[in-house]
């Protein structure tokens, strides 16, 4: 049986780590070559994008895509982790009477291009160790602010629970944004403290959680179908595309450049992404063979296309 290759969309269940899901997929598909395009916290649900086989090499072009979340923010108290899993900080502050206008004003300051200090328990490395590992060891962790982009922060519902005010929100943000930190900063701006109580990632770029497959935990079933999306189809959803003939596909397979003839079709409109999908020399392009299979990812170099990633013939899809 040949090794599988492709992109797998997973709808992650709550209370499971992303690494547990990756390990389970490795076992179910019988391959060690499984990677991810960004993890989710154990309490969070929703979309994980996994690369299988040669699909792992395509992940670098997916990790920078904008992400959309459905979140619930509880105002009235902060926690050590900026979410419900942390220890409570300070006293409860009555947030039940906060007016919509006051909340909307503070939301405005958290939208657009902002500088965000990541959560202390993030996976960012500080002197070679993860910030969360240092924090759990009792160390004081100070992380530098980093630029992020919040293109949508829309409140969809509000509920009171005693002194607490729970806000449901839809958030679209750049890769590297911590939604927990948005909950923390909104609570701080309102003077009442805040933390995240629920989070679901509904999309990453053009990929949706609604198209994801639940992956059963160990012992819950080994006969689950894990449908893989082809590399050609997946690449065409995030990159400009160039159709190549059979000779061009063979040349690319040998690592040779091909002449720049017809202009590629542009990447899908409205796609927001980080710097990994482009370069200072020009936009990266997915070369698709006669059957729509992914042959290579190309970079323009003068009068030629230079392959930066070549997909072996036996792994093309």
């Amino acid at each position: 049986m040949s090794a599988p290759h492709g992109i797998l969309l997973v709808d992650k269940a709550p209370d499971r780590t992303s690494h547990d899901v990756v390990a389970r997929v490795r076992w179910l598909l019988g391959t060690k070559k499984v990677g991810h395009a960004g993890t989710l916290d154990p309490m969070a649900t929703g979309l994980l994008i996994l690369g299988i086989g040669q699909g792992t090499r395509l992940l670098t072009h997916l990790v920078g895509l904008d992400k959309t979340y459905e979140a619930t923010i509880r105002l009235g108290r902060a926690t050590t982790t900026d979410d419900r899993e942390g220890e409570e900080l300070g006293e409860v502050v009555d947030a039940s009477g906060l007016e919509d206008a006051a909340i909307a004003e503070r939301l405005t300051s958290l939208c657009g291009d902002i500088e965000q200090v990541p959560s202390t328990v993030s996976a960012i490395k500080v002197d070679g160790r993860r910030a969360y590992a240092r924090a759990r060891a009792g160390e004081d962790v100070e992380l530098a602010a980093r630029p992020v982009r919040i293109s949508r922060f829309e409140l969809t519902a509000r509920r009171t629970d005693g002194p607490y005010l729970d806000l449901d929100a839809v958030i679209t943000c750049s890769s590297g944004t911590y939604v927990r930190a948005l909950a923390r900063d909104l609570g701080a701006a309102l003077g009442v403290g805040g933390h995240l109580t629920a989070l679901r990632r509904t999309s990453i770029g053009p990929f949706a959680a609604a198209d994801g497959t639940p992956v059963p935990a160990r012992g819950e079933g080994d006969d689950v179908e894990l449908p893989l999306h082809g590399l050609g189809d997946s690449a065409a959803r995030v990159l400009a595309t160039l159709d190549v003939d059979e000779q061009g596909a063979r040349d690319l397979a040998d690592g040779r450049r091909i002449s720049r003839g017809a202009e590629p079709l542009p990447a899908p409109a409205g796609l927001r992404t980080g710097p990994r999908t482009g370069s200072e020399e020009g936009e990266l392009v997915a070369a698709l063979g006669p059957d729509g299979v992914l042959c290579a990812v190309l970079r323009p170099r003068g009068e030629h296309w230079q392959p930066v990633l070549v997909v072996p013939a036996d792994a093309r899809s």
Side-chain angles (χ1 to χ4, degrees):
M1 180 178 177
S2 60
H5 304 277
I7 297 295
L8 176 64
L9 305 182
V10 173
D11 189 351
K12 188 183 88 67
D15 302 321
R16 296 184 66 191
T17 71
S18 300
H19 296 294
D20 286 343
V21 174
V22 169
R24 183 66 169 144
V25 169
R26 284 176 176 151
W27 192 90
L28 289 169
L29 293 179
T31 179
K32 294 182 178 179
K33 202 166 185 180
V34 179
H36 61 77
T39 61
L40 283 169
D41 291 335
M43 66 168 267
T45 67
L47 182 61
L48 288 174
I49 298 181
L50 304 186
I52 314 299
Q54 288 295 317
T56 58
R57 303 176 68 197
L58 194 60
L59 294 177
T60 187
H61 306 293
L62 308 182
V63 293
L65 296 168
D66 277 7
K67 299 170 175 62
T68 297
Y69 297 89
E70 293 175 350
T72 300
I73 298 168
R74 169 156 286 195
L75 298 177
R77 199 167 207 172
T79 71
T80 55
T81 59
D82 303 328
D83 62 24
R84 70 177 189 222
E85 297 185 329
E87 297 178 7
E88 296 177 337
L89 292 173
E91 299 296 325
V92 175
V93 178
D94 191 346
S96 60
L98 284 171
E99 296 182 355
D100 290 343
I103 297 172
E105 181 181 352
R106 300 306 190 278
L107 279 182
T108 300
S109 66
L110 294 174
C111 292
D113 294 313
I114 65 172
E115 294 283 327
Q116 182 187 72
V117 177
S119 297
T120 301
V121 291
S122 68
I124 294 171
K125 285 190 176 181
V126 180
D127 295 331
R129 290 180 61 201
R130 301 290 185 186
Y132 63 74
R134 289 182 174 276
R136 289 167 183 165
E139 299 180 31
D140 291 329
V141 179
E142 293 186 10
L143 298 175
R146 54 178 57 192
V148 297
R149 182 182 61 249
I150 313 299
S151 54
R152 182 186 183 188
F153 198 159
E154 178 185 351
L155 299 185
T156 57
R158 61 175 285 165
R159 299 174 301 280
T160 56
D161 182 3
Y164 298 112
L165 176 62
D166 291 334
L167 301 176
D168 294 338
V170 177
I171 299 165
T172 300
C173 53
S174 61
S175 180
T177 301
Y178 286 87
V179 180
R180 285 177 293 158
L182 288 177
R184 174 201 67 200
D185 293 344
L186 178 60
L190 290 164
V192 297
H195 64 279
L196 196 68
T197 61
L199 185 67
R200 178 170 176 78
R201 187 155 66 197
T202 58
S203 67
I204 300 175
F207 304 98
D211 298 323
T213 299
V215 173
R218 193 168 185 175
E220 293 181 358
D222 296 340
D223 57 351
V224 63
E225 291 282 340
L226 296 180
L228 300 187
H229 297 255
L231 301 182
D233 174 69
S234 300
R237 298 180 70 178
V238 297
L239 296 174
T241 56
L242 179 71
D243 291 331
V244 298
D245 59 20
E246 292 184 2
Q247 182 59 51
R250 286 193 292 270
D251 289 340
L252 291 173
D254 292 333
R256 292 195 292 268
R257 299 182 300 173
I258 60 174
S259 177
R260 291 181 68 176
E263 287 298 310
L265 294 175
L271 198 63
R272 299 292 294 271
T273 183
R276 290 184 178 86
T277 59
S279 72
E280 64 279 4
E281 291 113 345
E283 183 181 21
L284 296 180
V285 170
L288 304 181
D291 296 326
V293 299
L294 180 66
C295 299
V297 174
L298 311 175
R299 172 182 292 137
R301 283 287 178 86
E303 299 300 317
H304 294 84
W305 292 108
Q306 177 73 42
V308 296
L309 181 160
V310 175
V311 179
D314 60 354
R316 292 176 182 172
S317 62

